[in-house]
C-alpha cells in the first residue's frame, strides 16, 4: 500500500513555501511603505524627488545612468524607489529612513560602475541618484573648485577651461564618469605623471555619514577622509561634494 504521507509531504512543503514567500513579500512591501512614509514625513518637498515604479518617469530615470548595457534587461533587479536629491537634507533623510527600515542604499553618480553596483542589488534597495546635485564653482584666484558628486568629470573640465586657460584637474579620460564614484576610486588620467591621481588633489569633502550627519574634512577625521579618497564607492559615506 502506498504511504499517504509521501503524497502529503510535498503538498505541505509547497504550502509552507508559498506562505513563507507571501510573508516575505508582505513584510518587504510594508518595509517599503514605511521607508517612503518616513521620507514624506521628513520634508514635503522631497516627494518631488522620489520616483517609484508607479511613476511614469521611473524607467527612464532608472535607465539614464545604467552605463553598462548588459544590465539593461528585465531580469536586472529594480529598486523600490529612486531618490534624486536636490538638497543635502534629502540625502540625510534617505540615509536615516533607509537605515531605520532596513532598505539598502545604492548611491549612483555617473553610473559607470563596471558591475552595476550603483544600481542593482539582490535585496530590497533604493537608488540615491546624485545626478541632480551637480553644481561646479571654480575659484581661479585660490586655485580650487567646489564640485558636487553628480557632476561628470567632463563638466568639471569644461567649467575649468571656461574660467582659465592655465588650470585643469587630474582625472580620468572618459568624460561621463561621475565625480562621486570616480574620486572615490582614485582617478587616474593623462595628467597623472605630473600631478598624481584625482584623490591626491582633494582638499575637503562634504559627506553624509551612516547616522545621517553632515561631515567635512575636519569633523569626519583623518581616517574617514583617507578612506573616502580611494577606499571604494559607497563603503564609508555618501559623498555630496
Ligand atoms: C568607460 C569607462 C571608462 C573609465 N575610465 C577611467 C579612467 O580613465 N580613469 C579611472 O581612474 N577610472 C576610469 N574608470 C573607472 C571609474 O572611475 C569607476 O568605475 C568609477 O567608480 C565610476 O564612477 P561613477 O560615479 O561614474 O559610477 P557609479 O556607478 O555611479 O559609482 C561607482 C561606485 O561608487 C559609488 N558611488 C557613486 N557615487 C557615490 C557617492 N556620491 N558617494 C558614495 N559612493 C558613491 C557607487 O555606489 C558605486 O559603488 C572608467 C570606467 C568606465 C566604465
Amino acid at each position: 500500500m502506498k504511504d499517504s504521507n509521501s503524497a502529503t509531504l510535498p503538498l505541505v512543503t509547497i504550502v509552507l513555501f508559498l506562505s513563507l514567500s507571501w510573508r516575505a513579500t508582505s513584510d518587504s512591501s510594508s518595509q517599503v511603505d514605511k521607508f517612503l512614509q518616513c521620507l514624506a514625513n521628513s520634508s514635503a518637498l522631497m516627494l518631488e524627488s522620489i520616483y517609484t515604479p508607479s511613476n511614469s518617469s521611473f524607467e527612464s530615470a532608472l535607465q539614464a545612468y545604467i552605463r553598462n548595457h548588459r544590465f539593461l534587461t528585465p531580469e536586472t533587479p529594480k529598486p523600490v524607489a529612486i531618490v534624486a536629491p536636490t538638497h543635502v537634507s534629502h540625502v540625510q533623510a534617505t540615509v536615516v529612513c533607509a537605515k531605520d527600515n532596513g532598505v539598502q542604499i545604492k548611491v549612483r553618480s555617473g553610473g559607470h560602475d563596471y558591475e552595476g553596483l550603483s544600481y542593482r542589488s539582490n535585496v530590497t534597495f533604493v537608488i540615491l541618484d546624485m545626478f541632480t546635485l551637480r553644481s561646479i564653482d571654480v575659484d581661479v584666484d585660490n586655485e580650487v573648485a567646489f564640485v558636487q558628486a553628480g557632476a561628470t568629470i567632463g563638466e568639471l573640465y569644461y567649467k575649468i577651461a571656461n574660467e582659465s586657460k592655465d588650470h585643469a584637474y587630474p582625472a580620468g579620460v572618459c568624460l561621463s564618469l561621475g565625480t562621486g564614484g570616480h574620486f572615490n576610486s582614485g582617478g587616474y588620467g593623462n595628467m597623472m605623471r605630473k600631478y598624481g591621481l584625482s584623490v591626491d588633489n582633494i582638499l575637503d569633502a562634504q559627506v553624509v555619514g551612516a547616522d545621517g550627519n553632515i561631515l567635512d574634512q575636519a569633523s569626519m577625521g583623518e581616517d574617514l577622509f583617507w578612506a573616502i579618497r580611494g577606499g571604494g564607492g559607497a563603503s564609508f559615506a555618501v559623498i555630496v561634494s
Side-chain angles (χ1 to χ4, degrees), residues 1-6:
M1 198 178 111
K2 203 173 172 198
D3 179 3
S4 62
N5 284 343
S6 62

Side-chain angles (χ1 to χ4, degrees), residues 65 67-68 105-119 128-130 148-153 157 171-190 192 197-198 207 228 232-241:
Y65 286 87
R67 303 290 194 185
N68 186 341
I105 299 178
K106 289 289 181 175
V107 192
R108 181 164 74 170
S109 290
H112 270 289
D113 188 272
Y114 297 105
E115 294 300 326
L117 295 182
S118 55
Y119 50 81
L128 184 53
D129 223 345
M130 303 297 284
Q148 286 189 315
T152 64
I153 60 169
Y157 296 162
V173 291
C174 173
L175 301 182
S176 52
L177 297 176
T179 54
H182 186 58
F183 293 172
N184 247 315
S185 59
Y188 64 86
N190 293 334
M192 185 171 69
L197 301 169
S198 299
V207 308
I228 59 167
S235 307
F236 301 99
V238 179
I239 315 295
V240 178
S241 59

Side-chain angles (χ1 to χ4, degrees), residues 143-156:
E143 301 190 305
V144 294
F146 172 93
V147 188
Q148 286 189 315
T152 64
I153 60 169
E155 289 165 349
L156 175 61

